[in-house]
Amino acid sequence: MNPAPLPELAGRAVLDRLGVAEDPLIGADPVSFLRSLGAAGAALVRNPVGAAAANARLAIGLAAALRATARRAVGSETSGPVSPATGDKRFADPAYADNPLFFLLAQQYLLSGQLVTELLDAAGLDADRDLKARFAARFILDAMAPTNTLPGNPAALRAAFDTGGKSLLRGAQNMLGDIRHNGGWPSQVDGSDFEVGVNMAATPGSVVYRSDLIELIQYEPQGKRVHAVPLLFCPPWINKYYIMDLAPGKSLIEWAVQHGHTCFAISYRNPDASMRDLGFEDYLRQGTLDAVRVVREITGAPEVNTVSVCLGGTLTAIGLAYNAAIGDSSIKSATFLNTHTDFSVPGMLGVFTDEATIAGLEKQMAKKGYLDSGKMAHTFDALRANDLVFQYVVNNWLLGKKPPAFDLLVWNKDSTRMPAKMHSQYLRACYLNNEFARGQFEVDGIKLDPGKVEVDTYVLSAVDDHIVPWVSGYRTTQLFGGRNRFVLSTSGHIAGIVNPPSPKAKHWVNEDSVTADPGEWKAAAQLREGTWWEDWALWIAKQGGPKVGAPRQLGSTDHPPIEAAPGSYVRTRA
C-alpha cells in the first residue's frame, strides 16, 4: 500500500502556518526546526557507527514484522516487534490486527518512528537543538501516519464503501471549506449551537467597570448571605476569560457563586495595533491591580481573594510580590490554577522560547503591533498534533463527518491576539530568563522577592498538563512564604480546571506539609474520588470569612452597571 500524499501536504501546510519555514530554500526558519533537523543530519554524518546501528535495528525489526505478518496470514496471533505507545489510539481499529496488510503497514510506520528516535539519540545534539529536532520530527511523523491517508485507514475505506463514496465527497467539501475559511487547518469544532452569553459565559451578572484594557464583571448572588471577602477571577490575557465560566454546570464561577462568594471576573480587551506599546507592567497595573481596587471600592471590603488561571496566575504572583514590597495587603489569599511562576521547567512551550525564536517572533509582531491569534492557537495545537490536528484530518476529511459540537473546543477556538511589547517582555522575562523565580523581576525599579509574599495560597496542577507540567506548577509552593495547599487534578491543562462533579473526577491530596520534591509529595499523596472543586470550596470558604448579607444590587454609585454580562470585550473576535 502506498499512502496518498495527504499527510505530507497537511504537515507542510501546518508547519508553514506555524512560521516554521516560509521558504526553506533561503533559510526562513524562525523557530529553527528545519535547521535543527539539518544539524542532526550533519551530526549523524560524523557518527556513522551510531547511524548504522540504528538502521541495522530497523532491518531486524522489519524482518521480524514480515515474519509476524506471514504467520498472521495463516491464522497465527503472532505479535509484531513493536506496539503503539500507551494512549496512541490511531491503530485501535481491529483491521490493524486482523488484516495482515494493515498490520504490516502499522508495523512499518511504528518502526520508522523508532528509527527516527534512535537516529536523534545518536546525533547527540545540545539540549535546545535536540528538543527542536525531536519536536519537528515527531510532527512530521505524525503527519505521515498511514491513518491520515485513505489507503492506510480501514475505517475511511469502510465508510467510503458503505456510503457509495458519499463520505469522500463530504470529506473533500470539508477540506475545501477548511482551506478557504480556516487557513488549511482541519476544523476542530462545530460551534453553530453555542453563543457567548446564552449557553457559554452565561452566569448572570453585569459589567460594572470598563477601561481601555479590561471589563470587570460582577455576578449576581444566588443566596441571601455571602462571605465577607469578595472573590476576583483573573484569567490569562492569552485566552478569553470564560474558561472559568464555560457553561451552566461547568462553570467554576457559577460554582463559587453558589457556594456563597461575591464574585468578580476580569475580561481583557482583545488587543489591536493601537495597543502595541502596552507592556507587562501595564497589564499588571491596569489589569489585576486595577481590578482589585475596583472590587474593594464596590464592596467596601479591605481585602480580596483571587483565583488565577495559567498566565493570569503569573501576573497575580508578580502583583503579590509587588504588594509585599510596598506594604499593600489588599489581596488576602491567592488560588493558582495550572500556573507557571518558576519557568525552569517550561514544558513543550520551551521549544518556542529560545533567544533566536523570540527575536524572530518580535520581527513578525513589529509589522502589525501584535501576534496574530491564529499563530498562537496553532502553536498550542501543534503541541498535541495527533489530538488537535490529525484527529480532525481523519474525522472531517477522510470520514466526511462534521467536527464535534463541544463547548471546550468552542472556547479554545475563540482565541485572542497578543500586544507586541507585552508578549516580547513576557517571553523574555519569564520563559527565557525566569526572572521572577530568581528574584530579578523589577517593577518601579524594585526587584521583587517572591519569598516575601505571606498570603495563603491554593495551588492546583493537572497531572497530564502539557503546557504547565505539574512539577513546574508545584514549584509555586516553594516560592512564597505563606501557608500553601497543593492539589493535583487528573486530566490536562484545560480539563483539569473545568472539572465539575462527575463520576470520573479525581484528585490527589497530601495533608502533610508540602515537601521540596514533587515526586515525594505525590508518592505520599492520596487519590480521592470527586473533583478538586469540592476540596477548594472548603479552603476558600475559610478564606472568605464570616457570612454577611448579600448585596442588593450590583456595582455601586461610583461604578454602576454598564451592561449585562458577559460584556463587550469578550465578543470581539480576533
Side-chain angles (χ1 to χ4, degrees):
M1 289 184 175
N2 293 317
L6 174 62
E8 180 183 347
L9 293 174
R12 188 186 310 135
V14 173
L15 285 171
D16 285 345
R17 294 188 180 280
L18 282 170
V20 172
E22 296 173 5
D23 184 357
L25 295 178
I26 60 172
D29 180 19
V31 191
S32 302
F33 284 159
L34 299 180
R35 279 172 283 179
S36 295
L37 288 175
L44 288 170
V45 171
R46 297 190 296 271
N47 183 14
V49 175
N55 280 281
R57 287 189 289 271
L58 172 65
I60 294 170
L62 288 173
L66 287 169
R67 288 194 299 271
T69 300
R71 290 171 183 166
R72 282 175 173 264
V74 295
S76 172
E77 294 292 327
T78 305
S79 298
V82 64
S83 300
T86 302
D88 187 349
K89 301 176 182 178
R90 292 175 295 175
F91 301 101
D93 191 291
Y96 289 112
D98 299 338
N99 184 303
L101 291 180
F102 280 116
F103 171 81
L104 180 59
L105 186 64
Q107 288 291 304
Q108 289 174 330
Y109 171 75
L110 294 171
L111 286 167
S112 296
Q114 185 173 286
L115 170 67
V116 170
T117 299
E118 292 179 358
L119 288 174
L120 290 173
D121 290 342
L125 299 178
D126 63 80
D128 287 342
R129 281 191 171 183
D130 182 69
L131 187 64
K132 288 176 180 289
R134 289 180 191 275
F135 182 92
R138 174 46 54 194
F139 189 93
I140 294 169
L141 282 169
D142 289 344
M144 296 181 68
T147 48
N148 295 335
T149 71
L150 180 61
N153 191 310
L157 290 173
R158 282 195 298 270
F161 180 81
D162 292 343
T163 64
K166 290 181 180 179
S167 65
L168 298 181
L169 179 59
R170 291 194 299 266
Q173 292 172 334
N174 289 342
M175 183 173 68
L176 289 173
D178 286 332
I179 291 172
R180 291 178 59 191
H181 304 297
N182 202 40
W185 289 71
S187 298
Q188 295 178 342
V189 65
D190 176 7
S192 57
D193 292 333
F194 297 92
E195 183 179 350
V196 169
V198 177
N199 53 3
M200 304 182 76
T203 302
S206 294
V207 174
V208 293
Y209 175 72
R210 178 181 291 144
S211 70
D212 289 338
L213 183 62
I214 68 168
E215 288 180 336
L216 184 67
I217 300 167
Q218 183 180 5
Y219 293 92
E220 296 178 2
Q222 297 185 18
K224 294 182 179 180
R225 312 239 340 139
V226 295
H227 289 282
V229 183
L231 189 58
L232 172 64
F233 287 81
C234 306
W237 61 89
I238 206 168
N239 300 111
K240 299 288 181 70
Y241 85 91
Y242 63 94
I243 188 57
M244 300 182 290
D245 187 25
L246 187 63
K250 298 181 180 179
S251 167
L252 183 59
I253 289 175
E254 177 190 58
W255 173 267
V257 170
Q258 292 172 346
H259 282 73
H261 296 275
T262 299
C263 293
F264 296 79
I266 297 170
S267 176
Y268 283 103
R269 177 181 168 190
N270 202 340
D272 55 29
S274 69
M275 300 171 66
R276 67 186 306 142
D277 293 324
L278 281 183
F280 206 103
E281 192 168 327
D282 295 312
Y283 268 71
L284 175 64
R285 294 188 182 281
Q286 300 174 36
T288 306
L289 298 183
D290 196 33
V292 169
R293 174 187 66 82
V294 176
V295 170
R296 293 173 66 201
E297 289 178 358
I298 289 174
T299 63
E303 296 176 307
V304 176
N305 292 320
T306 61
V307 183
S308 306
V309 173
C310 192
L311 303 184
T314 306
L315 199 61
T316 299
I318 291 169
L320 285 169
Y322 177 67
N323 281 355
I326 64 174
D328 185 325
S329 58
S330 57
I331 298 178
K332 182 177 187 292
S333 77
T335 297
F336 296 99
L337 309 180
N338 293 349
T339 294
H340 272 310
T341 53
D342 182 335
F343 287 76
S344 55
V345 183
M348 285 304 299
L349 281 178
V351 172
F352 299 92
T353 51
D354 61 292
E355 172 61 41
T357 302
I358 294 174
L361 191 61
E362 288 168 340
K363 290 181 180 179
Q364 293 181 26
M365 292 190 295
K367 298 176 182 178
K368 293 184 177 180
Y370 57 81
L371 177 66
D372 184 74
S373 62
K375 286 187 178 293
M376 203 69 204
H378 296 327
T379 295
F380 285 116
D381 290 346
L383 297 177
R384 294 174 55 206
N386 280 328
D387 292 335
L388 297 177
V389 180
F390 300 116
Q391 175 187 172
Y392 301 105
V393 168
V394 174
N395 182 81
N396 306 359
W397 298 358
L398 297 184
L399 296 177
K401 296 180 179 179
K402 277 188 171 184
F406 186 33
D407 46 22
L408 265 178
L409 291 177
V410 173
W411 168 83
N412 187 60
K413 185 180 179 182
D414 191 9
S415 50
T416 61
R417 308 180 192 98
M418 298 293 105
K421 182 178 179 180
M422 163 56 156
H423 200 52
S424 172
Q425 289 179 338
Y426 157 66
L427 291 176
R428 289 187 174 280
C430 296
Y431 276 99
L432 195 60
N433 298 320
N434 197 21
E435 291 178 7
F436 182 65
R438 294 172 47 239
Q440 297 299 310
F441 195 96
E442 292 189 11
V443 176
D444 277 350
I446 303 170
K447 286 189 176 181
L448 304 183
D449 181 359
K452 291 184 178 179
V453 175
E454 296 291 342
V455 306
D456 292 349
T457 55
Y458 186 102
V459 181
L460 176 95
S461 293
V463 70
D464 294 323
D465 194 333
H466 63 293
I467 294 174
V468 182
W470 80 265
V471 294
S472 181
Y474 184 90
R475 290 174 179 243
T476 299
T477 66
Q478 307 300 302
L479 281 182
F480 298 142
R483 297 175 300 176
N484 56 66
R485 178 172 180 79
F486 181 80
V487 175
L488 183 62
S489 174
T490 53
S491 299
H493 189 67
I494 300 305
I497 295 171
V498 183
N499 200 246
S502 76
K504 295 182 179 180
K506 296 180 181 179
H507 62 282
W508 285 270
V509 297
N510 185 338
E511 301 300 342
D512 295 332
S513 60
V514 177
T515 62
D517 183 353
E520 290 182 6
W521 182 94
K522 189 171 184 294
Q526 295 178 327
L527 180 61
R528 290 183 178 175
E529 301 291 331
T531 172
W532 67 267
W533 287 14
E534 295 165 339
D535 182 87
W536 176 73
L538 297 174
W539 185 89
I540 197 65
K542 296 176 181 177
Q543 303 296 329
K547 291 286 188 76
V548 297
R552 296 181 180 180
Q553 61 185 21
L554 302 184
S556 65
T557 302
D558 292 335
H559 302 289
I562 299 171
E563 64 175 306
S568 299
Y569 284 175
V570 73
R571 301 180 192 274
T572 304
R573 297 282 180 171

